[in-house]
Amino acid sequence: MPTLLPTLPVHEIVLLPGMIVRHHIVRPAEVAAVEMHLSTKRPLLGLPLRVPELEQPLPQDFVDVGVTARVLKAVRLGDGTIRVLLEGLQRARGGAVRADPDAGFLAAVRLLPSTTRDPEVVDRRGKQLREHLVQLIEKDASLPQALKRITQLDLSTDRLCDQIAANLTLPREERLALLAENILDDRLEVVLLLLAREEEFRTLETELNKRVQATMDKQQREYYIREKIRALRQELGEAPSEDYDESAALETKLREAGVPEEPMKEALRELERLRRMHPDAAEYNVARSWLEWLASMPWQAISEDNDSLKEAAVVLNKEHFGLEKVKDRILEYLAVRQLKPDGQGPVLCFLGPPGVGKTSLGRSIADALGRSYQRVSLGGVKDEAEIRGHRRTYVGALPGRIAHALKRAGTRNPVIVLDEIDKLGKDFRGDPAAALLEVLDPEQNNAFVDHYLDVPFDLSQVLFVCTANVGDTIPHALHDRLEIIEIAGYTLEEKIQIVKRHLIPRLKSSHGLEAAKLSWNTQAIQHIIEAYTREAGVRSLERQLANIHRKIARQIVEGRKRGVRVDGPDKVRQLLGPPRHFIELVERMDIPGVAVGLAWTPSGGDILFIEATSFPDGNDLKLTGHLGDVMKESAQAALSLIRSRAKRLGIDPAVFKNTGLHLHVPAGAIPKDGPSAGITMATALTSLLTGRRVRADVALTGELTLRGKVLPVGGIKEKILAARRAGVKTVILPHHNENDLVDIPKTLRNELDYHFVETIDEVLPLALEPADSLE
C-alpha cells in the first residue's frame, strides 16, 4: 500500500468497508483524484468532510478516518464529470492532507484493521446479529432487499457488521462513529443496538398502522397520512401545536379577536367542517381563508379618542391654512361626538374643486382624534361587490373595500375617507351607490353585512368622511345622507401663506435642498400664482414650484451656484419661461358687443367672454361655442327680452327684421352650460345693438326671466375668486345672493366693488358705458 493516496472528498454519503455505491463525480478536484486512481491503479482514499455542504474544501476540513476504495466501473460524460461504481475496501486514517494539482488532494494513509479484545464475545455477538437480522426479516417483509441478501452470504463477522450498518437508515453522525470504530467488539455492540432499535421502530409502525386503519371508515381513507401523524404524536406524548393543527390555531385567533356570539357560532361550525376536510381539498382553502378573515377583523379593538378640542384645533391649523368655516364645522362635529359618543351624527362630505385639501382634511381629522386613518377610492367603481364583497361561492371571492379598510386600520372606530364619491359608476353588476347606503346610513350600518364575511359587523363607530368635486353627480340617495361642506378655493393671500408655510418647506425637503441657501420673496410667489396658475386649489401651483426646485437642484449639483434667491418676476420668468396667463379684459372689450360673465366649473370658478356681432340679410340668432341647452335657452330669453324693450333701450325695432345676430362664447372646445349667463348675454346683445361698450372692469352673473327679473345663482365664492384672478374690479350679482358674501374673506370683500340687482334695468346702467363715451 503506497503511503500517499489520491483522496476523494465524501460529502453526503459515508462510505463503509464492503459498501458499493453509485456516485456522480462533478467537482474538478474529485475528478482528478478518480483519474489518478484509474491511471495508476493506486487505491482511492474516501475521506468524509466535516461539513458535507462545502464546495471547495481545504485540507483541514476532512475528518481523520475514511475508507480505501476502488472504482469498479467508470463512465465519463461529455461535460467533464464521471459516474462511478465505488466499493469501500478497508478502514484507514488519513493524515497530512494536502492539495495536489494532479490528484486534487493527497493524504498520507495508515490502514486501521479491525482488532478484537475478546474473540469469544465477538463470535457470540456475531451469531446474535445474524439471528436478529433473520427475525427482523421474517417479521417485516418491507425491509430492503439488500438486507435480505446479507443472510444468504457467507460473510465474516467484521464484514457482516459493516454490511448491516450500510443498509440501515442512520444519521450521518452515527455512520461516522461506526466508521471510526476499528475495535470489532464495540462496533458489534453498537450495530446490535441499532438493529434492535430498527426492529422496535418497525414493530411500533406496524401497530400504529393497524390502529389507524381500525379507526378509519370508507370516507376517511383519504385522511390516512394526517391520522398517522396524529397517532405518532400521541405515542410520543406531545400535545398538538399550531404547526400541526391549523384548526386549533384558527380557533385561538378567533377567540382572541373577540368575535361576537352569533358570528362565533358560524365560525365554530366552519371549523368543524375544516377539521373533517383534507388539506388538499378545494373547499379547505376557501374555509380557511374565510376563518382567517373573520379572525383578522377588529371586532373589539377600539382606539381611544383625543378629547382635547384645543389639540384638535392645533392639528387642523398646523396642516391647513385658511378654511376657517370648514375647521369650525369639524371642531363642532368633534365636540358633539365628545358629548354624545354613541350619537348618530351626519356624514361629512367635503365638496370642492381639485387641490383644495379635501382628502388631507380627512387625515387631519384622524390625527386630531388620534384614530387610525384609511382611504377608500371610489372613482370609477361600478361593481356593487367592490363595496359589499363577493359571495364565497365565486372563485377568487374577497371582501369589499370597506372590510379591507377595517382590517388595515386594526380598530373598529377608524376614520375612513370615501374619496371621489361623485365618480361612482353603475352597470349590470349592480349599483355601488345603493350598497353605500348601508354603509353610511346610521340606521343600518350597525349591522353591515359583507357578502364574503356573511356576518353582521358594527360600523356605527366608524367616522366616515366623503369627498367630491361636483355635487350634482352624487347619487341622490347618498346626497340625502351627507352634510355637504363646500370648499370653494383659496384667495391670493391664502395661497401665498400656503406656499410659505407648507409647500416650500415640503418641496425643499423632497428635493434635498434643506442645506441650500434658497430664499423667496412675496412678489415672486404672487407672480407665479397670477401668471402661471389659474386654479381654485394649489395643485398646479405646487407643480410649478417643484419645477423651480428641480432647476435649482441641478444648478447646485453642477456647481454653478451655492444658493439661489427667487426675488421677483424676472427671476421667475428666467426659471419658468414666459407667463402662461395674462389679464385680457381691456384689450378684448374695446368694442361694443363683448361682456364678461362668471361661471362655476368643477375645478373652481372661471370667467367667460360672451361676444355678439350682427350681419345683414338675416333675422335669426346663431349660437356657437359648444353651449349646452340651458345656455341656449338663456340666449333666446335674453334676445326676446331686449326685443320687448327695444324702444326703452334706444334700439330701432326694424333692426331685428333685417339683421342677423350671432352670439359666441370663445374656447369652444370646452362644454359650457348652466343657468347663470342670462344677464351677461343680455348685456352683450344690448351693447352691440346700442353701440355702448361694456365697462372693461365689470363681470356679471345671474339668470334672467322674460320679465326682466334677475334670479339668484350658485357658486358665488368660486366666481368671485375667478373675477379677482382675472383683474375684475366690479361684480354685478343677483340681489338674493347678497347673503353669500358672508363666505367671502374680508380682504376680498374690500378689494372688489359689489352691486346687487333685481332687474335688467339695474344691470345695464352699471355694466354699459354712457352713450357719449364713443365720441
Side-chain angles (χ1 to χ4, degrees):
M1 175 72 67
T3 58
L4 285 178
L5 291 184
T7 301
L8 178 66
V10 181
H11 293 264
E12 297 294 339
I13 62 173
V14 177
L15 192 61
L16 295 172
M19 187 174 174
I20 299 177
V21 295
R22 286 183 173 84
H23 194 38
H24 189 189
I25 310 297
V26 296
R27 298 171 180 86
E30 299 172 14
V31 172
V34 172
E35 291 290 0
M36 175 165 279
H37 161 68
L38 293 173
S39 62
T40 63
K41 303 302 180 181
R42 294 161 65 185
L44 272 173
L45 175 62
L47 209 55
L49 294 172
R50 299 182 188 278
V51 180
E53 294 83 7
L54 284 177
E55 290 291 330
Q56 296 179 346
L58 299 175
Q60 62 268 25
D61 294 326
F62 292 88
V63 300
D64 296 334
V65 180
V67 176
T68 59
R70 63 177 176 176
V71 174
L72 301 178
K73 185 178 181 181
V75 178
R76 293 176 177 82
L77 304 180
D79 57 357
T81 63
I82 305 176
R83 294 185 186 274
V84 298
L85 191 63
L86 198 62
E87 179 186 14
L89 299 176
Q90 191 173 355
R91 284 176 176 79
R93 185 178 299 277
V97 179
R98 61 181 176 84
D100 185 87
D102 297 325
F105 290 100
L106 289 175
V109 178
R110 181 168 61 87
L111 295 178
L112 295 175
S114 297
T115 61
T116 303
R117 288 196 298 265
D118 189 344
E120 293 183 3
V121 172
V122 170
D123 186 57
R124 186 170 59 252
R125 287 179 177 172
K127 291 179 180 178
Q128 292 176 353
L129 192 59
R130 286 182 181 276
E131 292 174 358
H132 284 178
L133 182 59
V134 171
Q135 292 174 5
L136 182 59
I137 292 172
E138 290 176 352
K139 287 182 179 180
D140 193 345
S142 65
L143 284 171
Q145 291 295 324
L147 276 176
K148 297 178 181 179
R149 285 196 296 269
I150 292 174
T151 60
Q152 301 170 5
L153 300 176
D154 186 15
L155 300 174
S156 66
T157 304
D158 187 7
R159 184 55 59 90
L160 176 65
C161 184
D162 287 335
Q163 285 290 325
I164 292 176
N167 287 280
L168 292 178
T169 303
L170 302 176
R172 189 170 186 270
E173 293 75 14
E174 292 185 1
R175 286 183 179 274
L176 287 173
L178 284 171
L179 178 63
E181 185 60 70
N182 67 318
I183 300 176
L184 186 55
D185 310 56
D186 297 337
R187 191 159 73 247
L188 277 169
E189 183 177 354
V190 173
V191 174
L192 276 169
L193 291 174
L194 293 175
L195 199 58
R197 187 178 72 182
E198 182 75 13
E199 184 178 1
E200 184 179 354
F201 174 76
R202 295 280 175 174
T203 303
L204 178 60
E205 185 178 30
T206 303
E207 292 178 357
L208 290 174
N209 288 337
K210 290 179 179 178
R211 186 188 308 174
V212 172
Q213 289 292 339
T215 58
M216 291 173 60
D217 57 16
K218 185 177 179 180
Q219 289 76 23
Q220 292 176 322
R221 291 187 181 277
E222 60 185 82
Y223 307 113
Y224 170 77
I225 297 176
R226 177 177 291 276
E227 292 295 328
K228 184 175 179 179
I229 293 174
R230 185 171 299 171
L232 283 169
R233 294 182 59 79
Q234 290 176 357
E235 190 69 25
L236 294 173
E238 295 181 5
S241 65
E242 292 183 5
D243 296 333
Y244 297 95
D245 196 341
E246 192 171 23
S247 61
L250 286 172
E251 183 174 355
T252 302
K253 289 180 181 179
L254 288 167
R255 297 192 184 281
E256 290 176 352
V259 180
E261 182 179 356
E262 290 302 321
M264 192 65 182
K265 290 180 181 179
E266 294 291 331
L268 293 177
R269 277 197 290 268
E270 194 70 12
L271 269 173
E272 287 302 317
R273 290 185 63 244
L274 188 74
R275 290 188 175 103
R276 294 193 298 269
M277 292 182 194
H278 191 277
D280 294 335
E283 292 186 6
Y284 184 88
N285 288 327
V286 174
R288 184 185 63 183
S289 297
W290 181 76
L291 289 167
E292 287 177 347
W293 261 101
L294 214 61
S296 64
M297 294 296 290
W299 297 97
Q300 302 297 334
I302 298 178
S303 60
E304 186 176 352
D305 287 351
N306 179 16
D307 294 335
S308 174
L309 288 183
K310 290 184 179 180
E311 293 182 10
V314 169
V315 171
L316 292 173
N317 291 326
K318 178 182 178 181
E319 299 181 1
H320 297 275
F321 184 83
L323 306 178
E324 299 302 329
K325 183 178 178 182
V326 178
K327 293 178 185 177
D328 290 341
R329 180 63 188 89
I330 292 173
L331 292 175
E332 293 168 4
Y333 182 86
L334 299 181
V336 173
R337 296 280 296 191
Q338 183 176 335
L339 295 175
K340 185 70 173 175
D342 56 346
Q344 298 178 350
V347 177
L348 301 182
C349 179
F350 299 128
L351 178 67
V356 295
K358 302 184 297 296
T359 305
S360 59
L361 275 170
R363 181 180 289 277
S364 298
I365 293 174
D367 294 340
L369 282 173
R371 293 191 184 187
S372 176
Y373 166 81
Q374 291 296 321
R375 173 181 170 271
V376 176
S377 177
L378 299 178
V381 172
K382 296 181 179 180
D383 190 352
E384 176 191 355
E386 292 286 338
I387 306 300
R388 280 205 181 109
H390 303 81
R391 299 192 183 276
R392 278 184 287 161
T393 53
Y394 295 106
V395 176
L398 282 174
R401 298 193 180 194
I402 303 301
H404 274 89
L406 287 168
K407 179 183 177 181
R408 293 193 303 268
T411 61
R412 59 183 296 185
N413 62 336
V415 175
I416 297 181
V417 173
L418 303 177
D419 218 1
E420 310 293 353
I421 199 171
D422 57 324
K423 297 177 179 62
L424 281 171
K426 180 181 179 181
D427 64 6
F428 65 92
R429 291 169 292 187
D431 185 1
L436 278 176
L437 292 179
E438 188 181 2
V439 175
L440 298 178
D441 193 338
E443 299 294 334
Q444 304 179 48
N445 66 5
N446 59 349
F448 171 72
V449 177
D450 184 279
H451 286 164
Y452 180 83
L453 299 177
D454 203 24
V455 292
F457 190 92
D458 187 2
L459 298 180
S460 61
Q461 296 187 2
V462 178
L463 178 54
F464 289 102
V465 178
C466 304
T467 71
N469 295 131
V470 183
D472 294 341
T473 55
I474 299 176
H476 178 72
L478 286 179
H479 200 292
D480 183 57
R481 288 163 171 80
L482 303 177
E483 179 180 341
I484 305 296
I485 299 178
E486 295 187 7
I487 305 176
Y490 298 107
T491 64
L492 174 63
E493 292 76 14
E494 289 174 339
K495 288 184 178 181
I496 291 173
Q497 292 301 319
I498 290 171
V499 169
K500 290 181 177 179
R501 299 185 184 190
H502 300 284
L503 299 185
I504 288 179
R506 184 165 70 237
L507 289 170
K508 285 182 68 176
S509 175
S510 63
H511 289 79
L513 297 173
E514 298 95 330
K517 296 180 179 179
L518 176 61
S519 59
W520 295 75
N521 68 359
T522 304
Q523 289 77 15
I525 297 173
Q526 182 174 344
H527 185 64
I528 296 173
I529 295 171
E530 293 179 339
Y532 294 88
T533 63
R534 278 192 180 176
E535 57 175 346
V538 294
R539 194 165 291 165
S540 296
L541 176 59
E542 185 173 5
R543 282 195 288 268
Q544 296 296 337
L545 292 171
N547 191 3
I548 292 177
H549 280 78
R550 287 194 300 271
K551 295 180 183 299
I552 294 172
R554 178 183 174 184
Q555 293 176 3
I556 292 174
V557 172
E558 291 177 347
R560 289 183 284 164
K561 293 185 178 181
R562 299 181 62 185
V564 177
R565 177 174 175 79
V566 186
D567 54 2
D570 293 338
K571 187 65 176 179
V572 172
R573 284 192 290 272
Q574 179 184 344
L575 293 168
L576 294 181
R580 298 182 180 182
H581 304 286
F582 54 90
I583 298 175
E584 53 183 347
L585 291 179
V586 176
E587 61 186 53
R588 293 190 61 171
M589 301 184 66
D590 58 349
I591 59 173
V594 182
V596 178
L598 297 175
W600 178 92
T601 67
S603 59
D606 203 355
I607 62 169
L608 290 178
F609 287 95
I610 297 180
E611 301 176 349
T613 188
S614 60
F615 50 89
D617 301 329
N619 58 1
D620 60 337
L621 176 63
K622 188 175 182 179
L623 301 172
T624 57
H626 207 164
L627 305 181
D629 293 338
V630 176
M631 289 193 72
K632 290 178 181 179
E633 292 172 358
S634 295
Q636 296 285 354
L639 179 60
S640 298
L641 176 64
I642 292 169
R643 292 185 66 174
S644 67
R645 301 189 178 199
K647 292 184 179 180
R648 189 188 310 178
L649 296 174
I651 302 171
D652 185 1
V655 172
F656 299 103
K657 296 181 180 180
N658 306 318
T659 304
L661 298 175
H662 185 172
L663 203 64
H664 177 61
V665 182
I670 303 173
K672 309 169 199 67
D673 203 8
S676 63
I679 64 173
T680 311
M681 291 179 170
T683 301
L685 290 171
T686 303
S687 170
L688 173 70
L689 296 174
T690 60
R692 297 166 61 185
R693 287 187 303 231
V694 179
R695 290 171 53 188
D697 61 346
V698 171
L700 310 91
T701 183
E703 195 48 82
L704 195 62
T705 69
L706 287 176
R707 300 192 176 195
K709 293 290 184 180
V710 179
L711 302 179
V713 294
I716 295 299
K717 183 176 181 180
E718 291 89 340
K719 293 176 179 178
I720 291 176
L721 289 173
R724 193 260 182 87
R725 289 195 297 268
V728 170
K729 301 299 181 184
T730 302
V731 180
I732 298 176
L733 301 171
H735 173 72
H736 292 290
N737 286 119
E738 185 173 1
N739 292 333
D740 292 330
L741 288 190
V742 176
D743 297 334
I744 308 299
K746 186 176 180 180
T747 55
L748 190 56
R749 290 201 301 267
N750 296 335
E751 280 189 30
L752 302 181
D753 187 15
Y754 300 93
H755 295 279
F756 299 96
V757 297
E758 296 187 53
T759 64
I760 190 66
D761 297 326
E762 300 176 42
V763 173
L764 297 177
L766 293 170
L768 301 177
E769 294 182 354
D772 56 359
S773 62
L774 296 176
E775 299 177 0

